[in-house]
Amino acid sequence: ELRRGMEEVKERLDRLVELVDGVNKTLGDIEGKLSRITAPLEEEANDVVTHYLRRRGINIEAGPARLGPGFNFTIYGTNGQLTIVGTARERVNANFVRHVAERVRDAVKAFPGKFPGRVVIVVYCLRALQDAVNRARELGIWLLEDGDEVTPFPG
């Protein structure tokens, strides 16, 4: 009876291992898909920001930046007189917009030399909820949605 019980435990353990392997494979697939979506979104965000800046006669090449632990920005660029900083995300709401503003404010305090001139916070997204648009207007954040300016460039 003990041997039968051990065999049953082994069978259950084997099934559990199969399930975990399946979950790991699924998570790997999801991670791969997310990285294929995220990288192009970040590239698009920086291309669009750079394009709109050039249309205004501002020559700044935007790109991702890691300023220090906990201070990674998808969008960053400076020409010494103006600094553009922010992030890209598929969908944004008011809380996310507020969070970006707080992170930028903290980064400016922590790394003032990385933010010469006037600082413009930018959020690029594929879909902005209306509360995000309202919050961006309140905070003076430049919000770009799917290649279009939703809130005006602060300046």
Side-chain angles (χ1 to χ4, degrees):
E1 193 172 304
L2 184 59
R3 191 172 292 150
R4 206 171 343 144
M6 290 295 287
E7 288 174 16
E8 189 177 307
V9 167
K10 185 184 178 321
E11 287 175 20
R12 287 183 176 188
L13 186 58
D14 288 344
R15 279 187 274 164
L16 182 60
V17 167
E18 283 180 32
L19 284 172
V20 169
D21 287 345
V23 168
N24 283 336
K25 182 186 179 320
T26 301
L27 286 174
D29 292 346
I30 291 170
E31 185 177 51
K33 288 176 184 174
L34 279 175
S35 70
R36 286 191 302 277
I37 290 169
T38 303
L41 177 64
E42 292 175 0
E43 291 171 16
E44 177 181 323
N46 284 296
D47 288 347
V48 170
V49 166
T50 299
H51 169 76
Y52 275 110
L53 291 171
R54 286 197 177 127
R55 283 180 48 187
R56 289 176 168 79
I58 302 168
N59 190 20
I60 294 177
E61 191 71 33
R66 178 179 163 87
L67 304 180
F71 292 103
N72 300 325
F73 295 101
T74 307
I75 304 164
Y76 173 83
T78 187
N79 63 7
Q81 299 164 347
L82 177 70
T83 300
I84 301 294
V85 61
T87 193
R89 191 176 204 189
E90 289 80 16
R91 181 180 163 135
V92 299
N93 60 25
N95 287 334
F96 182 76
V97 170
R98 179 190 48 75
H99 173 75
V100 171
E102 290 171 357
R103 293 304 299 153
V104 169
R105 187 181 62 235
D106 292 345
V108 170
K109 287 179 187 172
F111 306 96
K114 297 285 187 180
F115 297 91
R118 188 166 59 94
V119 176
V120 171
I121 301 171
V122 60
V123 173
Y124 184 89
C125 65
L126 298 179
R127 174 82 175 99
L129 299 178
Q130 188 58 48
D131 68 339
V133 175
N134 296 339
R135 183 64 49 88
R137 279 194 182 109
E138 289 171 16
L139 298 174
I141 292 174
W142 189 25
L143 180 63
L144 300 160
E145 179 183 37
D146 198 21
D148 296 322
E149 290 181 291
V150 178
T151 61
F153 180 81

